[in-house]
Amino acid sequence: MGHDGLRLRPRLDWLAARGDVDPSRIGTLGMSMGSSMAQWLAALDERVKATVDINCLTEWHTLLAEKGLAGHGIYYYVPAS
């Protein structure tokens, strides 16, 4: 998720602690690369209950068939462990 995404987790602590926020209804929204970051934050933090992704989702078989891997930056891939 990268440094920026990890920096969001303490902000979720702050958000969830606010009296005017229902912590069971926290969501993320992102467009393009931000969409990938929104997905990763939701995957790594169980407090995120919904994610809206705009202009991001790719079918892997189509991406491979069209030789489109070079059209995406490093942000798009989860590194192997």
Side-chain angles (χ1 to χ4, degrees):
M1 177 167 53
H3 178 73
D4 291 340
L6 292 175
R7 299 274 302 159
L8 289 174
R9 295 183 83 189
R11 287 171 173 79
L12 284 178
D13 295 336
W14 171 81
L15 185 64
R18 290 181 52 102
D20 59 343
V21 172
D22 180 348
S24 69
R25 299 178 69 188
I26 294 175
T28 60
L29 176 134
M31 181 172 176
S32 193
M33 183 176 75
S35 186
S36 296
M37 293 183 72
Q39 293 173 24
W40 292 340
L41 180 59
L44 295 173
D45 197 307
E46 63 189 27
R47 294 173 293 181
V48 178
K49 303 299 183 192
T51 300
V52 176
D53 303 318
I54 303 168
N55 192 27
C56 174
L57 301 178
T58 303
E59 294 179 340
W60 283 99
H61 67 278
T62 303
L63 189 64
L64 292 171
E66 297 292 324
K67 299 184 182 353
L69 291 175
H72 291 278
I74 191 68
Y75 66 87
Y76 197 73
Y77 305 101
V78 177
S81 55

